[in-house]
Amino acid sequence: MLKRLPASSARSPLAGSHCITRPGTVGGAANRPGAAFAILLCLCAVPQAGASGWDLDRLMRAVAANAQQPLSYREEKLLGLLETPLRSSGRLRVVPPNTLLREVLEPYRVRYVIGADDLITMEQEDQPPRVVQLGRVPAAAAMVGTLRALLLGDRSALEQLYRLKVNGDPNAWTLELEPRDTELARHIDLLRVEGTEGHIRFLSILERNGDHTRMELRPDE
Amino acid sequence: MSERNRLLRIGMWCAAAMLAAWWVAVHTKLRSDPSAMIPHRLDEPGRLLMEQIQQGPASRMILLAISGGTLEGRVAASRALAERLRGDGRLATVSNGERAPDENLARILFEYRYLLRDLSEADFSGPALREALHAGLRELRSPLSPLHSRLLPADPTGEMARLLAGLTQRREPARAGGVWVSPDHSQALLIAETPMAGLDLDGQRERVAAIEGAFAAVRTDAAAALRLSLSGPAVLALAVETRIRNETTLLGLVATLGLLALLHRGYGSGLALLYGSLPGLGAVLFGAAALGVFYGEIHAITLALGITLLDVAIDYPLHLFSHGPAALTKGPLQGLGGTLALSVVTTAVAFGSLLFSGLPGLEQLGALTLVGLLAAWTITLHLLPALPGVSEVRRRPLPMPTWGWLPRRARAALPAVLLGVAVLLLSTRPAIWEDDIGALSPVPQPLLTQDRALREALGAPDVGQALILIGEDREMLLQRSEDLAPRIEELVAAGAIAGAETLTAFLPSLRTQTRRQQALPAVEQVSENLVRAQVGLPFKPNGFAPFLGDLKRTKTMPPLTAEVFAGTSLGLKLDALLGRSGAHWTLLIPLHGVRAPALLAAHFAERPLAGVSYLDVRAQTSRLVAGFRDRALRQMALGGALLSLVLLAVLRSLRRTARVLLPVVLALILDVTLLAAWGQRLSLFHLVSLLLVFGVSLDYSLFAHRAGTGDAATDSAAAAHALTLCMASTVLVFGLLAWSEIPVLRAIGLTVAIGVAAAYLLVFALAPAPASGSYAT
């Protein structure tokens, strides 16, 4: 998996500066000789964050303040089942109080409404909407709900599922989410979010089976 | 009577009572299940369904609702309560929707996924697979991709998703915050299943207490505004039991005090109540012991109704006290003993008609009252005169109506007037009979409404409507169920039902599974198709090896059997719906949303299927109740004819017999008319109460008759005194019952109080005035 990451980063049109500048802190870093150093760096980063007054609380409040801004995204999935990355792009929009609209525009059009109560509605042209309820599969509900909670800046929802750790300063911060729940940890290794001020720019989800999702976000014009 | 004789009698009765009490305590079981009111003649499917209702999983369910506070508070309380109860271990399962579908079940369904649907080569052809892979890629780009990336390698055609959709299609409750809630989100909902059947009320009581204790603990942690309400068959039964006990305790206390005052007023002695209660107590004790000997058990409802009917026995000692023990020693027919004997025999004939009712509870009631009457009679004649101080119980003057107070002309008109009013009133009533036994349910209406709402919100099964299949073994039933599928589809299409819960979706017959195994294409073929389907798609060449492996294994693996599901949630359902019953097996198919029961019944009547019956519990019980009522009426008519013959033989005059019977018949007519005017519809319990009215009013009429024929000066005053106290005590006891909030008790109370008061007035009104002595000669 990790062997694949730099390669795909290089190949990926998504490979932005964030990915390349901090590859070592992505989950699984312990396999690398530089891991200890990376961890040390992280530890050092904490007091710095405090010094600049940048902490989880501020980060979340800043993100929540921007929550309603429509975003466009480009996603790349590196899956064990596939030989090549699976790409898609579209728009994301939060509808208060807690619904997330995810509209896939490329390579085809489909709209997902990720509502409260772990309900997902799938709307496709010339097809009746399909509803999936995830409540019976908590891990799946958590995975689906995480993006919504992140974009909403819903700290308590995130803290129920993950241990959160902030690094960096307001201009370039990273947030690491490590599953608390053993059930969720069976599926997810680590989530990594990068951003500037109240804007989330990049999201990486590393799954336990080696699947890797990378999503780049920017304000939708 | 010598002193020695007296002590001998008392000692004998004490010994007999102790023997009876021992027998009741040691050898007689009290049954409190509803089977007392289920006819013997119920057909096989009906019996099975009743069994399900009483002992099936539905009877073990406790439905919980948390209301009040905020939504977050309710959700948190639901989680905390469920966790605490699961840890407690006294409940078999506790569900609030937060858990994943049981993982074992998912594993089983996944393993057998290619045997649970008709699949053919076409489903695994190149084009079909290519389409499936395209859909797979789409799912991988969806928010659900983490799930699909795990499932796709073994299940590229999405069989499992289809199965799970079928599983969740069963009406799932609404959700908020990951737990079940009512549709308007005002309540958080949970279902607990107790390990014991709903009939085990002691066990159920302990479980209910455990739930309430756990909730109290949870509530102190969270918001105090939360409230817990419980429902379910056992909870309702417990509520009724508590309510009946509270009400009867209070009513019993008031009645005892009232009787004490009444008898003290009538006899000026406290002994009257003590001795007067002996025949009644003896009647219940010996009657119960007799049931213990004959049946080994007593239905609770039999005991309750028996105590009611045997209230007639309090009249016997009152006659004795009012007349004085000396009255017993007169000639056999002129003396008190003769009239008492006639009263007992005729009442016994009336109560005895219950022996042929066909309902176990009422048959027992017939036996109990027959033995009880006999016991009360012998205690009154044999024991009471021997008791110390009984001769000091003397009547004191009471305000009483005079014999024959109704003027002669009015007497002639009375029957016609009463009959006319009755016909007029009853003919304008839409329905006289109450065939819906549920209308008399002792469960308070608000609890019933709440139960229905919870059941609806939780999608808990309603077993009132079902198809029942009977066969020689499991396989035969599963095959029959599969053969039934087109008929069910037809009924759904016709709008008769919304759906049916068939087990064969998850447990097909061996026949079907074998056929499906054979229909699956060869794995080499599918492998080739897959290679072609993958061309141009990003899937790894070997990515679907798990799928091919499973397909290959499925073709030869041993088929799915019911045992495999043991311990899963579907296993519980299987046990509930499919089981052995005596020599054969039965399968229940619960029906949802039955809109036209009549249409359904007609459908299965016109095109019957071997071993399949449609059961509509409500219609069936209504039919049974109506049938029983007709039979009971016929038997009462027969009993009436029989006791008229007895009266005729004893009184040796058609005219005298008619005179005795007239007030009785008029009292019954007046009773029914007044009940109808009161808005009551007559039920089984009214009929049983009318039997008591019949027995009591016949007793009054016989004593009035005796007063007319006997030693006029003393006897008519004594008879009037006795009848007044009899009436007052009966109206007191049953009038109190009429205030009960429990429909059955209210029905009995009203019927008896009105009927007995009417009989008393009519007996006095229609009696010959003693001065005229019209038929004394």
Side-chain angles (χ1 to χ4, degrees), chain B residues 717-734:
Chain B
H721 187 267
L723 292 194
T724 302
L725 281 179
C726 288
M727 184 279 294
S729 58
T730 307
V731 170
L732 171 71
V733 171
F734 286 90

Side-chain angles (χ1 to χ4, degrees), chain B residues 124-200:
Chain B
F124 301 100
S125 69
L129 285 173
R130 187 160 177 93
E131 196 177 316
L133 293 181
H134 269 294
L137 281 177
R138 193 164 284 219
E139 302 285 18
L140 288 177
R141 286 185 178 104
S142 83
L144 285 171
S145 81
L147 277 187
H148 291 287
S149 67
R150 281 164 181 77
L151 279 171
L152 267 181
D155 187 19
T157 56
E159 253 344 286
M160 191 59 188
R162 233 173 253 124
L163 273 175
L164 284 178
L167 197 67
T168 48
Q169 229 172 40
R170 299 149 180 265
R171 302 176 292 162
E172 267 266 305
R175 273 166 199 281
V179 302
W180 290 334
V181 293
S182 59
D184 64 356
H185 291 207
S186 69
Q187 295 173 317
L189 305 176
L190 301 90
I191 301 182
E193 200 182 357
T194 58
M196 73 286 297
L199 297 182
D200 180 358

Side-chain angles (χ1 to χ4, degrees), chain B residues 51 70 106 110 161 203 219 235 245 308 462 483 595 616 646 664 684 717 728 771-772:
Chain B
E51 220 174 79
T70 60
F110 192 74
R219 189 165 56 165
V235 173
R245 192 184 310 120
T308 307
D462 175 21
D483 296 342
R595 286 183 208 102
D616 174 357
V646 173
V664 177
L684 207 65
S772 78

Side-chain angles (χ1 to χ4, degrees), chain A residues 118-119 131-137, chain B residues 97 99-102 105-106 109 160-175 180 458-459 501 505-506 569-570 573 592:
Chain A
D118 316 318
L119 272 178
V131 180
V132 181
Q133 181 153 41
L134 289 173
R136 299 180 69 135
V137 195
Chain B
R99 286 224 162 161
D102 134 28
L105 177 61
L109 293 180
M160 191 59 188
R162 233 173 253 124
L163 273 175
L164 284 178
L167 197 67
T168 48
Q169 229 172 40
R170 299 149 180 265
R171 302 176 292 162
E172 267 266 305
R175 273 166 199 281
W180 290 334
L458 279 166
E501 211 168 288
F506 301 103
S569 56
L570 211 57
K573 192 150 223 137
H592 293 306

Side-chain angles (χ1 to χ4, degrees), chain B residues 45 127 158 197 208 410 446 452 475 491 676:
Chain B
V208 167
R452 204 164 304 136
E475 171 66 12
L491 288 167

Side-chain angles (χ1 to χ4, degrees), chain B residues 208-254:
Chain B
V208 167
I211 291 174
E212 280 166 349
F215 181 70
V218 165
R219 189 165 56 165
T220 50
D221 303 348
L226 298 177
R227 287 187 314 279
L228 175 72
S229 36
L230 302 178
S231 201
V235 173
L236 294 183
L238 286 173
V240 169
E241 198 195 51
T242 311
R243 197 168 165 177
I244 290 184
R245 192 184 310 120
N246 291 346
E247 262 194 22
T248 47
T249 308
L250 180 69
L251 293 179
L253 192 71
V254 176

